[in-house]
Amino acid sequence: ANITFDNVIYSSNNFSKNGYSTNISGKETIPDNKTAQFIKFDDMIEEGRKVAQRSYVVQVNSENSCIELHDYCQSICTVENMFYYRVKDDHFVLVEFSNSEAAHKLSFDPNNLAVVSPFIWFRTGKKKKLVPSSVNVSPLINISQGPTELEIIEWMTVAQSLLDEMEILYQSTKLSQLGFKLRMICARQVEMMLSGLFPNIRAFPFGSTVNSFGKEGCDLDLVLRYNFSQENSDDLRLVHHSKINGISSRGQTQRQMELLGDLLQIYVPGVIGVKRILGARVPIIKYSHEFTGVDVDISLTNMSAMYMSELLYIFAHLDPAAQRLVFSIKAWAKVVGLTNPSPGRWITNFSLTLLVLFYLQNERRLPSIDDLFKLAGPNDTRYAEEINCSFIRDLRNVRLELDHSKTTAELLLGFFNFYQNFDFNNKAISLCSAKIINKLDYSPMYIVNPLDRNLNVTKNVSLEEVERIRVEARNAAWALETSSRLVDLFRSSPESLMSKRKYISRMVMVKDLFQT
Ligand code: GTP
Ligand code: MG
């Protein structure tokens, strides 16, 4: 087989693993706002689902098994793509067949008593002479190995401009194609497990896996719907009895979640560390997937969060600067300790993303959500948990008056200046109207929930944390005005009195930056 070692994960941008070289300095390299080529959110997910339906993750002994595995798989069905990756010391190959015929062959092995799942392993075969496969049919086996966090910091250090630094950070830490595919396969595994009982089950991905702001290593948020069906069965008079009617009480939902947790824990290969968090506003099951390294959160009643992710996806496609800015701001917030992996009185990545989007609205780079609601057509009507989620979903041929004259680097400084002066004491942020409004209660920070307008997304954030956001934004603005370097925001604080201990812990955080 023809194996290509593809260590350069973003070679099209002139970065290489052996060093950073670029000819993009000083110029905006991000594409123009080409909404004509826009892929609708639903279509993007549907495409990912279809690929997952003809994909398997095969555990192998080492990368040396790739060729043998390829030849074996090729004898079952044409192989379109293979991606080799490792999770700790285990070796895996994502095999993408060209059609779902392979799925049929692999799923119905009558001697196999295991739960049918897209995760399999490659048993040692009988010794026989391998006939080398013809070069024409061999796929590229992509060896997936991203750069280390220190390499990224190095590249940023030698980058020629702030703009380049932002581009490097974005390109080298965003969720990869393989990362997205593996998450779609994890979603499919949950569907496969439950499809015997619920033939119409759908596991919808939402959150950063699909909202265009996902980092490599981000978690997979799933919402399960048992009764998903696109067909209108109003005319059908013979109706199945059902114990689940879609509208279940909180108690029923918790029972279902408990059962789901048990099923995953007991039967499903790869699932480890199942936790049931049933007291939260949205009850969830959490687990880790040892064959993909992905952390998964499953809920049953959170379709509006999926539409929220679609809204963010639409914003990301209306302003290409949005992703670069969000990646830089999230990285900065993590290093200075504004965000924290455990939930608490600090700002979340989601709220931080909303702060960035609001700032871009304020710069007239993004429309208000009200505008997106007004543009909704008849096919855009959606309701989830009684919330109206009907906004325009197809950006092709949409004309909006947006001002994209500022560079992404100017926007970074602009963001810090905007929020260091923001009157969080009295004012709230509304992405719906794209306006600063008066606060509706005494929460220290108030961001109107873009879909459920009676809620405050940042209700959890404490007064001290709000003050810290402003102080850190001021420090960042100061540092940027002094050196115009993004790495300097990560490396040291402008407070000259910062203790050595704090400095060291911050360097450790820089190392952590590119891990989840
Ligand atoms: P990561 O940190 O990369 O996982 O980002 P994420 O956007 O996926 O965040 P997370 O996994 O915490 O949440 C998943 C989704 O739930 C988000 O994208 C939002 O749609 C929704 N969500 C998260 N936090 C909040 C919140 O505080 N309020 C509301 N209304 N929705 C939230
Ligand atoms: Mg998430």
Side-chain angles (χ1 to χ4, degrees), residues 206-209 211 218-222 295 297 349:
F206 67 101
S208 55
T209 299
N211 68 14
C218 69
D219 68 0
L220 166 65
D221 302 289
L222 288 178
D295 290 331
D297 281 5
N349 271 336

Side-chain angles (χ1 to χ4, degrees), residues 229-265:
S229 167
Q230 283 170 324
E231 282 157 35
N232 183 356
S233 52
D234 281 354
D235 297 338
L236 205 63
R237 289 188 54 204
L238 298 174
V239 182
H240 288 276
H241 279 296
S242 173
K243 278 192 163 175
I244 296 181
N245 57 11
I247 311 156
S248 30
S249 69
R250 196 176 163 81
Q252 279 171 321
T253 304
Q254 290 196 354
R255 280 290 306 279
Q256 290 173 45
M257 297 290 285
E258 274 168 29
L259 178 62
L260 179 65
D262 286 346
L263 288 173
L264 286 161
Q265 188 171 345

